Amino acid sequence: MNELKDEIKKAFLDHSIDFWIEEQIWGHRIWDNQTPWLIFLELLGIADYTYNKETLLDERGKFYPLLFHPQRRMMLRNVLYNNQIMPYLLDKFPDDNRAWEKWQEWMNDNARGIVERDFSYIQKRFGSFEEFTKLIGMLRSATVESESNRRWSSRFLFPFGRDCLYEDVRVTAKGTPSREYINFGRTGELLYLMLCRASSAKELREHLATVVTSNNPWNALVSKLQHGENDHTDAKGKSFLPYKSHPTFDLLGEDWLHVFDLKLPGFDAYPHITLLGAFHVMLYQLTIAREVVSAERPIMVCEMVAPRKTLVRELSIKSFQKNGQLSELAITAFIDRIASSAEWQLAKNAPDAYPQCKTILNRYVGWPKDESSYGGAADPDSLLKNLRQRAMSKHRQHAGNVHRTYGRAVGLISKRGTNKLRYAPNDALLKALILANVKDRMEFKMFLRMLFDRYGIVIGEREAETVMEDTEYDKKSFQANAMRLEQRLSSLGMVKRLSDACAYVLNPYAEASQ
């Protein structure tokens, strides 16, 4: 299944990760602790660097490693987020010069993660301390995920332009900044690689270049807070994707390209792009897991929330739970292939079976060489049993949660109206899917079919009949479900009914883009 076996071996040696299984299936790494916006910001940091190197979305035939030098911008971040004294100084020192003097003293004493402690450049650029205080408050209001990131060095600005892009860091007790993986867990790197290998990478390159080079007043204002040379870090990355190409990469690229081509004003495209990015990472994990397991295509029965419990709700819960098991089944199938391989069977029946089998596991999945970490019996079957347990334990900590956490983050999965999770897309996701797929207008039933063909989303009766068993299928329930979707889209101004038999899904931005 994997197309880049040599690159996987290089990555395995570089990272020295125990139980190197999910990395071989999906890449290094797919991480559950990133929100759609944080994935997007991580990707833009790579895009900024590769744009300067003239390699944006172009791997030049080198599939591993992905290396880049992200920005830290510690002067900017200290001024924006490690600067709690400003309101107090503004209130205590009405005199402008005195307020500036005290602020610079405080910053010189309290700024962290920087070598040069000289903030006098700020006064020269802004003049009035009161005006400066108001501007900082305004920029802080543009913080992404402001409620989830409390630590000042892990707070991020809205991506107005390249001067707003920097990596996640923590500042040590000695005042030295180092990369942090709490918010940027490398899924943004994986998404970047997916776009590199999408069939539309060439067309997307121009759009991403426009994002990172956007020349607008907001980015210009942020640039005034930064001083000195841009503080690039050492090379980061070494993420890899184990497939040269895949239909899921192409689907992602097409959706992003269609949204960018609408030429929405300002930054209006960004929320749709971020949702679709995380949505496609989730689809990628499901699709690859299905291929490893050799199962049927993952189907997502989506309920348009009804006031009372319906058959569609039950089927939606069932399809969510079934898809949620796919990644664990893929881990099991991967280990089963090792167990059934000729190499393992030969070693298993050898006089020195245990050391031979342990060597095989060390070579293929990073079985720990330290004997103290294994407390089982010295036989091949016990080795495999222990491998299954430990691989599954690792998987359930992060990668195994991607389907649920990303699905909820993008608005696909919900508990609305019940105490169980199921597929129940919200308005934001429905709008993003329309913008990505409806060029001008599309007949409503064709829209339902398109959602099924492209994403495996089942809403109406025709698509349900295609995939449901006779005992589960109820035409009226799915007809009512589709009608609820039409009513919701109509309230968003994205459906127009021309007659009893004809309704159209509308892209309200299509005319403006043309």
Side-chain angles (χ1 to χ4, degrees):
M1 183 190 69
N2 295 317
E3 301 176 15
L4 302 173
K5 293 183 179 180
D6 291 340
E7 285 77 3
I8 290 175
K9 290 179 181 178
K10 292 176 185 176
F12 172 46
L13 293 174
D14 281 346
H15 294 285
S16 301
I17 295 176
D18 293 340
F19 313 114
W20 182 261
I21 296 175
E22 61 189 29
E23 293 83 0
Q24 294 189 58
I25 298 174
W26 296 288
H28 183 66
R29 69 185 167 176
I30 191 166
W31 195 248
D32 68 323
N33 283 346
Q34 282 185 260
T35 66
W37 272 106
L38 294 177
I39 294 172
F40 185 53
L41 289 176
E42 187 175 30
L43 177 144
L44 290 182
I46 306 166
D48 177 38
Y49 176 79
T50 53
Y51 173 80
N52 289 330
K53 294 295 182 180
E54 299 183 350
T55 58
L56 178 59
L57 295 187
D58 186 358
E59 294 179 281
R60 306 288 173 92
K62 185 179 179 181
F63 297 102
Y64 179 82
L66 167 66
L67 293 175
F68 63 99
H69 295 258
Q71 298 276 8
R72 280 196 177 137
R73 304 193 188 280
M74 296 308 297
M75 296 289 279
L76 165 68
R77 296 159 83 170
N78 272 282
V79 171
L80 269 180
Y81 297 120
N82 188 28
N83 188 7
Q84 306 90 332
I85 198 70
M86 291 182 70
Y88 168 77
L89 294 177
L90 183 64
D91 183 59
K92 186 173 182 181
F93 300 101
D95 178 66
D96 219 39
N97 290 330
R98 187 68 170 160
W100 278 117
E101 179 185 345
K102 289 298 181 182
W103 179 77
Q104 289 178 38
E105 288 179 4
W106 190 91
M107 290 298 292
N108 291 339
D109 291 338
N110 293 276
R112 302 184 63 203
I114 58 176
V115 175
E116 181 185 353
R117 293 173 177 271
D118 182 5
F119 290 86
S120 59
Y121 68 94
I122 292 289
Q123 183 178 0
K124 298 173 184 177
R125 295 177 184 179
F126 289 93
S128 167
F129 188 76
E130 181 179 3
E131 176 188 285
F132 173 60
T133 302
K134 291 178 180 178
L135 287 171
I136 291 298
M138 182 173 61
L139 285 175
R140 283 176 180 166
S141 68
T143 299
V144 173
E145 306 291 350
S146 59
E147 295 301 317
S148 58
N149 295 317
R150 299 294 183 184
R151 186 175 60 188
W152 72 269
S153 63
S154 290
R155 307 194 81 192
F156 306 95
L157 271 175
F158 184 88
F160 298 113
R162 65 177 3 142
D163 291 293
C164 304
L165 304 175
Y166 45 79
E167 71 169 347
D168 187 20
V169 301
R170 64 181 179 88
V171 182
T172 65
K174 295 181 179 180
T176 304
S178 62
R179 186 175 185 182
E180 183 62 271
Y181 290 93
I182 293 176
N183 295 292
F184 287 1
R186 285 184 165 163
T187 307
E189 298 177 24
L190 208 66
L191 183 62
Y192 176 84
L193 291 174
M194 291 170 68
L195 291 172
C196 284
R197 301 175 195 179
S199 57
S200 56
K202 185 176 180 180
E203 293 84 357
L204 281 167
R205 192 172 302 142
E206 180 180 347
H207 291 292
L208 272 183
T210 301
V211 170
V212 298
T213 61
S214 178
N215 186 16
N216 60 80
W218 293 98
N219 188 68
L221 175 59
V222 173
S223 70
K224 290 181 178 295
L225 303 179
Q226 182 67 27
H227 180 62
E229 295 295 323
N230 291 337
D231 46 346
H232 281 294
T233 66
D234 296 332
K236 299 295 191 301
K238 292 191 177 180
S239 289
F240 80 99
L241 194 59
Y243 312 98
K244 292 181 181 178
S245 61
H246 197 275
T248 55
F249 307 163
D250 298 337
L251 197 63
L252 161 67
E254 290 169 9
D255 282 3
W256 272 33
L257 187 60
H258 292 160
V259 175
F260 277 129
D261 281 343
L262 291 172
K263 300 178 182 178
L264 302 184
F267 309 102
D268 289 357
Y270 292 10
H272 311 302
I273 290 292
T274 58
L275 285 184
L276 291 169
F279 175 65
H280 279 283
V281 171
M282 187 203 77
L283 283 183
Y284 164 72
Q285 189 194 43
L286 283 179
T287 303
I288 295 298
R290 186 265 300 177
E291 292 174 359
V292 174
V293 177
S294 299
E296 296 179 352
R297 178 191 182 195
I299 298 300
M300 294 177 283
V301 179
C302 292
E303 181 204 6
M304 298 300 111
V305 180
R308 288 184 292 273
K309 182 178 178 181
T310 65
L311 174 65
V312 178
R313 179 176 297 179
E314 290 298 313
L315 294 173
S316 180
I317 293 171
K318 182 178 178 181
S319 68
F320 164 74
Q321 292 174 344
K322 182 178 180 180
N323 290 337
Q325 297 170 355
L326 270 177
S327 65
E328 291 192 3
L329 293 175
I331 299 290
T332 300
F334 187 95
I335 296 174
D336 287 344
R337 289 178 185 176
I338 295 176
S340 61
S341 68
E343 184 181 14
W344 180 269
Q345 293 299 320
L346 185 64
K348 180 181 178 180
N349 296 312
D352 54 344
Y354 175 70
Q356 282 199 38
C357 289
K358 191 171 73 168
T359 299
I360 291 172
L361 293 185
N362 176 260
R363 186 166 67 250
Y364 286 109
V365 301
W367 181 268
K369 293 182 179 180
D370 183 6
E371 193 70 29
S372 63
S373 64
Y374 173 62
D379 65 79
D381 290 339
S382 297
L383 273 177
L384 277 181
K385 181 180 179 181
N386 190 268
L387 173 63
R388 295 181 198 278
Q389 292 172 345
R390 297 171 77 170
M392 203 63 70
S393 176
K394 173 188 172 183
H395 182 66
R396 287 170 179 168
Q397 290 177 9
H398 292 290
N401 301 322
V402 163
H403 172 243
R404 182 182 72 254
T405 55
Y406 282 26
R408 297 193 77 173
V410 303
L412 174 66
I413 294 169
S414 173
K415 279 186 177 180
R416 293 195 309 273
T418 182
N419 59 357
K420 291 184 179 180
L421 291 170
R422 88 282 198 201
Y423 297 117
N426 66 12
D427 292 347
L429 180 61
L430 290 171
K431 186 174 183 179
L433 292 173
I434 289 173
L435 298 185
N437 290 281
V438 179
K439 187 175 182 180
D440 182 9
R441 67 177 189 172
M442 181 183 294
E443 200 275 324
F444 183 70
K445 291 183 179 178
M446 288 182 61
F447 175 72
L448 296 181
R449 188 68 193 186
M450 179 277 300
L451 292 178
F452 175 73
D453 291 340
R454 287 177 69 83
Y455 312 110
I457 290 175
V458 174
I459 295 175
E461 74 274 12
R462 292 184 179 181
E463 294 70 41
E465 187 177 15
T466 303
V467 296
M468 294 290 164
E469 299 289 341
D470 292 341
T471 55
E472 295 180 329
Y473 175 67
D474 179 71
K475 183 176 181 179
K476 290 184 178 180
S477 295
F478 281 97
Q479 284 178 333
N481 195 50
M483 182 57 66
R484 288 193 295 274
L485 172 62
E486 182 183 334
Q487 291 168 351
R488 280 178 58 182
L489 295 182
S490 179
S491 68
L492 295 173
M494 305 185 89
V495 159
K496 184 176 183 180
R497 177 162 284 281
L498 302 181
S499 67
D500 290 343
C502 188
Y504 284 92
V505 178
L506 307 175
N507 182 341
Y509 303 102
E511 184 177 348
S513 68
Q514 293 170 4

Coordinates of all heavy atoms in Angstrom, one line a residue, residues 72-131:
R72 N 9.9 33.1 14.7 CA 9.6 33.1 16.1 C 8.9 34.5 16.5 O 8.0 34.6 17.3 CB 10.8 32.9 17.0 CG 11.2 31.4 17.1 CD 12.1 31.2 18.3 NE 12.4 29.8 18.5 CZ 13.6 29.3 18.7 NH1 14.6 30.1 18.8 NH2 13.8 28.0 18.8
R73 N 9.5 35.6 16.0 CA 8.9 36.9 16.2 C 8.7 37.2 17.7 O 7.6 37.6 18.1 CB 7.6 37.1 15.4 CG 7.8 36.8 13.9 CD 6.6 37.4 13.1 NE 6.6 36.9 11.7 CZ 7.3 37.5 10.8 NH1 8.1 38.6 11.1 NH2 7.3 37.1 9.5
M74 N 9.7 37.0 18.5 CA 9.6 37.2 19.9 C 9.4 38.6 20.4 O 8.7 38.9 21.3 CB 10.8 36.6 20.6 CG 11.0 35.1 20.4 SD 9.5 34.1 20.8 CE 9.3 34.4 22.5
M75 N 9.9 39.6 19.6 CA 9.7 41.0 20.0 C 8.2 41.3 19.8 O 7.6 41.9 20.7 CB 10.5 41.9 19.1 CG 12.0 41.8 19.3 SD 12.6 42.4 20.9 CE 12.7 44.2 20.5
L76 N 7.7 40.9 18.7 CA 6.2 41.1 18.4 C 5.4 40.5 19.5 O 4.4 41.1 20.0 CB 5.9 40.6 17.1 CG 4.4 40.4 16.7 CD1 3.7 41.7 16.6 CD2 4.2 39.5 15.5
R77 N 5.7 39.3 19.9 CA 4.8 38.5 20.8 C 4.9 39.1 22.2 O 3.9 39.0 23.0 CB 5.2 37.0 20.7 CG 4.9 36.5 19.3 CD 5.7 35.2 19.1 NE 5.0 34.1 19.6 CZ 5.4 32.8 19.3 NH1 6.4 32.6 18.5 NH2 4.8 31.8 19.9
N78 N 6.1 39.5 22.6 CA 6.2 40.2 23.9 C 5.4 41.5 24.0 O 4.7 41.7 25.0 CB 7.7 40.5 24.2 CG 8.4 39.4 24.9 OD1 8.3 39.1 26.1 ND2 9.2 38.6 24.1
V79 N 5.4 42.3 22.9 CA 4.7 43.5 22.9 C 3.2 43.2 22.9 O 2.4 43.9 23.6 CB 5.0 44.3 21.6 CG1 4.1 45.5 21.5 CG2 6.5 44.8 21.7
L80 N 2.7 42.2 22.2 CA 1.3 41.9 22.1 C 0.8 41.2 23.3 O -0.3 41.6 23.8 CB 1.1 41.0 20.8 CG 0.7 41.7 19.5 CD1 0.5 40.7 18.4 CD2 -0.5 42.6 19.7
Y81 N 1.5 40.2 23.8 CA 0.9 39.3 24.8 C 1.6 39.2 26.1 O 1.0 38.8 27.1 CB 0.8 37.9 24.2 CG -0.1 37.8 22.9 CD1 0.4 37.4 21.7 CD2 -1.4 38.1 23.0 CE1 -0.4 37.3 20.6 CE2 -2.2 38.1 21.9 CZ -1.7 37.6 20.7 OH -2.5 37.6 19.5
N82 N 2.8 39.6 26.2 CA 3.5 39.6 27.5 C 3.7 41.1 27.9 O 4.8 41.6 28.2 CB 4.9 39.0 27.3 CG 5.6 38.8 28.7 OD1 4.9 38.6 29.7 ND2 6.9 38.8 28.6
N83 N 2.5 41.8 28.0 CA 2.5 43.2 28.2 C 1.3 43.7 29.0 O 0.6 44.5 28.6 CB 2.5 43.8 26.8 CG 2.7 45.3 26.7 OD1 3.0 45.9 27.8 ND2 2.5 45.9 25.6
Q84 N 1.2 43.1 30.2 CA 0.0 43.3 31.0 C -0.1 44.7 31.6 O -1.1 45.1 32.1 CB -0.1 42.2 32.1 CG -0.1 40.8 31.5 CD 1.3 40.2 31.5 OE1 2.3 41.0 31.3 NE2 1.5 38.9 31.6
I85 N 1.1 45.4 31.7 CA 1.2 46.6 32.5 C 0.6 47.8 31.8 O 0.4 48.9 32.4 CB 2.7 46.9 32.7 CG1 2.9 47.9 33.9 CG2 3.4 47.3 31.5 CD1 2.5 47.3 35.2
M86 N 0.3 47.7 30.5 CA -0.1 48.9 29.7 C -1.3 49.7 30.3 O -1.3 50.9 30.5 CB -0.4 48.5 28.3 CG 0.9 48.2 27.5 SD 0.6 47.8 25.8 CE 0.2 49.4 25.2
P87 N -2.5 49.0 30.6 CA -3.6 49.8 31.1 C -3.3 50.5 32.4 O -3.8 51.6 32.7 CB -4.7 48.7 31.3 CG -4.3 47.6 30.4 CD -2.8 47.6 30.4
Y88 N -2.5 49.8 33.3 CA -2.1 50.4 34.6 C -1.3 51.7 34.3 O -1.5 52.7 35.0 CB -1.4 49.4 35.4 CG -0.7 50.0 36.6 CD1 -1.4 50.3 37.7 CD2 0.7 50.2 36.5 CE1 -0.7 50.8 38.8 CE2 1.4 50.7 37.6 CZ 0.7 51.0 38.8 OH 1.3 51.6 39.9
L89 N -0.3 51.6 33.4 CA 0.5 52.8 33.2 C -0.3 53.9 32.5 O 0.0 55.1 32.9 CB 1.7 52.4 32.2 CG 2.7 51.4 32.8 CD1 3.7 51.0 31.7 CD2 3.4 51.9 34.0
L90 N -1.2 53.6 31.7 CA -2.0 54.6 31.0 C -2.8 55.4 32.1 O -3.0 56.6 32.0 CB -2.9 54.0 30.0 CG -3.8 54.9 29.1 CD1 -2.9 55.9 28.3 CD2 -4.7 54.1 28.2
D91 N -3.3 54.6 33.0 CA -4.1 55.3 34.1 C -3.3 56.0 35.1 O -3.7 57.1 35.6 CB -4.9 54.2 34.8 CG -5.9 54.7 35.9 OD1 -6.7 55.5 35.5 OD2 -5.7 54.4 37.0
K92 N -2.1 55.6 35.4 CA -1.3 56.2 36.5 C -0.5 57.4 36.0 O -0.2 58.3 36.7 CB -0.3 55.1 37.1 CG 0.4 55.7 38.3 CD 1.2 54.6 39.0 CE 2.0 55.1 40.2 NZ 2.8 54.0 40.9
F93 N -0.1 57.3 34.7 CA 0.8 58.4 34.1 C 0.2 59.1 33.0 O 0.3 58.6 31.8 CB 2.2 57.8 33.7 CG 2.9 57.1 34.8 CD1 2.9 55.7 35.0 CD2 3.6 57.8 35.8 CE1 3.6 55.1 36.0 CE2 4.3 57.2 36.8 CZ 4.3 55.8 36.9
P94 N -0.6 60.1 33.2 CA -1.2 60.9 32.1 C -0.2 61.5 31.2 O -0.5 61.7 30.0 CB -2.0 61.9 32.8 CG -2.2 61.5 34.2 CD -0.9 60.7 34.5
D95 N 1.0 61.8 31.7 CA 2.0 62.4 30.9 C 2.6 61.3 29.9 O 3.0 60.3 30.3 CB 3.2 62.9 31.7 CG 4.3 63.5 30.9 OD1 4.1 64.5 30.2 OD2 5.4 62.9 30.9
D96 N 2.6 61.6 28.6 CA 2.9 60.7 27.6 C 4.4 60.2 27.8 O 4.7 59.0 27.7 CB 2.8 61.3 26.2 CG 2.2 60.3 25.2 OD1 1.3 59.5 25.6 OD2 2.7 60.3 24.1
N97 N 5.3 61.1 27.9 CA 6.7 60.7 28.0 C 7.0 59.8 29.2 O 7.8 58.9 29.2 CB 7.6 62.0 28.1 CG 7.6 62.7 26.8 OD1 7.5 62.1 25.7 ND2 7.8 64.0 26.8
R98 N 6.3 60.2 30.4 CA 6.5 59.4 31.6 C 5.9 58.0 31.4 O 6.5 57.0 31.8 CB 5.8 60.1 32.7 CG 6.0 59.5 34.1 CD 7.4 59.6 34.6 NE 7.6 59.3 36.0 CZ 8.7 58.9 36.5 NH1 9.8 59.0 35.8 NH2 8.8 58.6 37.8
A99 N 4.8 57.9 30.7 CA 4.2 56.6 30.5 C 5.1 55.7 29.6 O 5.3 54.5 29.9 CB 2.8 56.7 29.8
W100 N 5.6 56.3 28.5 CA 6.6 55.6 27.7 C 7.8 55.1 28.4 O 8.3 54.0 28.3 CB 7.0 56.4 26.5 CG 6.1 56.5 25.3 CD1 5.4 57.6 24.9 CD2 5.7 55.4 24.5 NE1 4.6 57.3 23.8 CE2 4.8 56.0 23.5 CE3 6.0 54.1 24.5 CZ2 4.2 55.2 22.6 CZ3 5.4 53.3 23.5 CH2 4.5 53.8 22.5
E101 N 8.3 56.0 29.3 CA 9.5 55.7 30.0 C 9.3 54.5 30.9 O 10.1 53.5 31.0 CB 10.0 56.9 30.8 CG 11.2 56.6 31.7 CD 11.6 57.8 32.6 OE1 11.0 58.9 32.3 OE2 12.3 57.7 33.5
K102 N 8.2 54.5 31.7 CA 7.9 53.4 32.6 C 7.6 52.1 31.9 O 8.0 51.0 32.3 CB 6.7 53.8 33.5 CG 7.0 54.9 34.5 CD 8.1 54.4 35.5 CE 8.4 55.4 36.5 NZ 9.5 54.9 37.5
W103 N 6.9 52.2 30.7 CA 6.6 51.0 29.9 C 7.9 50.4 29.4 O 8.0 49.1 29.5 CB 5.7 51.4 28.8 CG 5.4 50.2 27.9 CD1 4.5 49.2 28.2 CD2 6.0 49.8 26.6 NE1 4.5 48.2 27.2 CE2 5.4 48.6 26.2 CE3 6.9 50.5 25.8 CZ2 5.7 48.0 25.0 CZ3 7.3 49.8 24.6 CH2 6.7 48.6 24.2
Q104 N 8.8 51.2 28.9 CA 10.1 50.6 28.4 C 10.9 50.0 29.5 O 11.5 48.9 29.3 CB 10.9 51.7 27.7 CG 10.3 52.1 26.4 CD 11.1 53.2 25.7 OE1 12.3 53.2 25.7 NE2 10.4 54.2 25.1
E105 N 10.9 50.6 30.7 CA 11.5 50.0 31.8 C 10.9 48.6 32.2 O 11.7 47.6 32.4 CB 11.5 50.9 33.0 CG 12.3 52.2 33.0 CD 12.1 53.0 34.2 OE1 11.4 52.6 35.1 OE2 12.7 54.1 34.2
W106 N 9.6 48.6 32.2 CA 8.9 47.3 32.5 C 9.2 46.2 31.5 O 9.5 45.1 31.8 CB 7.4 47.5 32.6 CG 6.7 46.4 33.2 CD1 6.4 46.2 34.5 CD2 6.2 45.3 32.5 NE1 5.7 45.0 34.7 CE2 5.6 44.4 33.5 CE3 6.1 44.9 31.2 CZ2 4.9 43.2 33.1 CZ3 5.5 43.7 30.9 CH2 4.9 42.9 31.8
M107 N 9.2 46.6 30.2 CA 9.4 45.6 29.2 C 10.9 45.1 29.2 O 11.1 43.9 29.0 CB 9.1 46.2 27.8 CG 7.6 46.5 27.5 SD 6.6 45.0 27.5 CE 7.2 44.1 26.1
N108 N 11.8 46.0 29.5 CA 13.2 45.6 29.5 C 13.5 44.6 30.7 O 14.3 43.8 30.6 CB 14.1 46.8 29.7 CG 14.1 47.7 28.4 OD1 13.8 47.3 27.4 ND2 14.5 49.0 28.6
D109 N 12.7 44.8 31.7 CA 12.8 43.8 32.9 C 12.1 42.5 32.7 O 12.5 41.5 33.2 CB 12.4 44.5 34.2 CG 13.3 45.7 34.6 OD1 14.4 45.7 34.2 OD2 12.8 46.6 35.3
N110 N 11.0 42.6 32.0 CA 10.1 41.4 31.9 C 9.9 40.7 30.6 O 9.4 39.6 30.6 CB 8.7 41.9 32.4 CG 8.6 42.3 33.8 OD1 8.5 41.5 34.7 ND2 8.7 43.6 34.0
A111 N 10.4 41.3 29.5 CA 10.4 40.6 28.3 C 11.2 39.3 28.3 O 12.2 39.2 29.0 CB 10.9 41.5 27.1
R112 N 10.7 38.2 27.6 CA 11.3 36.9 27.7 C 11.5 36.4 26.3 O 10.8 36.7 25.4 CB 10.5 36.0 28.6 CG 10.2 36.5 30.0 CD 9.4 35.4 30.8 NE 10.2 34.2 30.9 CZ 9.7 33.0 31.2 NH1 8.3 32.9 31.2 NH2 10.4 32.0 31.3
G113 N 12.5 35.5 26.2 CA 12.8 34.8 25.0 C 13.5 35.7 23.9 O 13.6 35.3 22.8
I114 N 14.1 36.8 24.4 CA 14.8 37.7 23.5 C 16.2 38.0 24.1 O 16.4 38.0 25.3 CB 14.0 39.0 23.1 CG1 13.7 39.7 24.4 CG2 12.8 38.7 22.4 CD1 13.1 41.1 24.2
V115 N 17.1 38.4 23.2 CA 18.4 38.8 23.6 C 18.5 40.4 23.8 O 18.9 40.9 24.8 CB 19.5 38.3 22.7 CG1 20.9 38.9 23.1 CG2 19.5 36.8 22.6
E116 N 18.0 41.1 22.7 CA 18.1 42.5 22.7 C 16.9 43.1 23.4 O 15.8 43.0 22.9 CB 18.2 43.0 21.3 CG 18.2 44.5 21.2 CD 18.2 45.0 19.7 OE1 18.2 44.1 18.8 OE2 18.1 46.2 19.5
R117 N 17.1 43.7 24.6 CA 15.9 44.2 25.4 C 15.8 45.7 25.2 O 16.1 46.5 26.1 CB 16.1 43.9 26.9 CG 16.0 42.4 27.1 CD 16.3 42.1 28.6 NE 16.1 40.6 28.8 CZ 15.0 40.1 29.2 NH1 13.9 40.8 29.4 NH2 14.9 38.8 29.4
D118 N 15.5 46.1 24.0 CA 15.4 47.6 23.7 C 14.1 47.8 22.9 O 14.0 47.4 21.7 CB 16.6 48.0 22.9 CG 16.5 49.5 22.6 OD1 15.6 50.2 23.1 OD2 17.4 50.0 21.9
F119 N 13.1 48.4 23.6 CA 11.8 48.6 23.0 C 11.6 50.1 22.7 O 10.4 50.5 22.5 CB 10.7 48.1 23.9 CG 10.7 46.6 24.0 CD1 11.4 45.9 24.9 CD2 9.9 45.8 23.2 CE1 11.4 44.5 25.0 CE2 9.8 44.4 23.2 CZ 10.6 43.8 24.2
S120 N 12.6 50.8 22.6 CA 12.5 52.3 22.3 C 12.0 52.5 20.9 O 11.4 53.6 20.7 CB 13.8 53.0 22.5 OG 14.8 52.4 21.6
Y121 N 12.1 51.6 20.0 CA 11.6 51.8 18.6 C 10.1 51.9 18.6 O 9.6 52.6 17.7 CB 12.0 50.6 17.8 CG 11.4 49.3 18.1 CD1 10.2 48.9 17.4 CD2 11.9 48.4 19.1 CE1 9.6 47.7 17.7 CE2 11.3 47.2 19.4 CZ 10.1 46.9 18.7 OH 9.5 45.7 19.0
I122 N 9.4 51.4 19.6 CA 7.9 51.5 19.6 C 7.5 52.9 19.7 O 6.6 53.4 19.0 CB 7.3 50.6 20.7 CG1 7.6 49.1 20.5 CG2 5.8 50.9 20.9 CD1 6.7 48.6 19.4
Q123 N 8.1 53.7 20.6 CA 7.7 55.1 20.8 C 7.9 55.9 19.5 O 7.1 56.8 19.2 CB 8.5 55.7 21.9 CG 8.0 57.1 22.3 CD 8.8 57.7 23.4 OE1 9.6 57.0 24.0 NE2 8.5 58.9 23.8
K124 N 9.0 55.6 18.8 CA 9.3 56.3 17.6 C 8.3 56.1 16.5 O 8.0 56.9 15.6 CB 10.7 56.0 17.1 CG 11.8 56.3 18.1 CD 13.1 55.8 17.6 CE 14.2 56.0 18.6 NZ 15.5 55.5 18.2
R125 N 7.7 54.9 16.5 CA 6.7 54.5 15.5 C 5.3 54.9 15.8 O 4.5 55.0 14.9 CB 6.8 53.0 15.2 CG 8.2 52.6 14.7 CD 8.3 51.1 14.5 NE 9.6 50.7 14.1 CZ 10.0 49.4 13.9 NH1 9.1 48.4 14.0 NH2 11.3 49.1 13.5
F126 N 5.0 55.0 17.1 CA 3.5 55.2 17.4 C 3.3 56.6 18.1 O 2.1 57.1 18.0 CB 3.1 54.1 18.3 CG 2.9 52.8 17.6 CD1 3.9 51.9 17.6 CD2 1.7 52.5 16.9 CE1 3.8 50.7 16.9 CE2 1.6 51.3 16.2 CZ 2.6 50.4 16.2
G127 N 4.3 57.2 18.7 CA 4.0 58.5 19.3 C 3.2 58.5 20.5 O 3.7 58.3 21.6
S128 N 1.9 58.6 20.4 CA 1.0 58.6 21.6 C 0.9 57.3 22.3 O 0.6 56.3 21.7 CB -0.4 59.1 21.2 OG -1.3 58.9 22.2
F129 N 1.2 57.3 23.6 CA 1.1 56.0 24.4 C -0.4 55.5 24.4 O -0.7 54.3 24.4 CB 1.6 56.2 25.8 CG 1.7 54.9 26.6 CD1 2.8 54.0 26.3 CD2 0.8 54.6 27.6 CE1 2.9 52.8 27.0 CE2 0.9 53.4 28.3 CZ 1.9 52.5 28.0
E130 N -1.3 56.5 24.6 CA -2.7 56.1 24.6 C -3.1 55.4 23.3 O -3.9 54.4 23.3 CB -3.6 57.3 24.9 CG -5.1 57.0 24.9 CD -5.9 58.2 25.2 OE1 -5.4 59.3 25.3 OE2 -7.1 58.1 25.4
E131 N -2.7 56.0 22.2 CA -3.0 55.5 20.9 C -2.4 54.1 20.7 O -3.1 53.1 20.2 CB -2.5 56.4 19.8 CG -2.7 55.8 18.4 CD -2.0 56.7 17.3 OE1 -2.4 57.8 17.0 OE2 -0.9 56.3 16.9

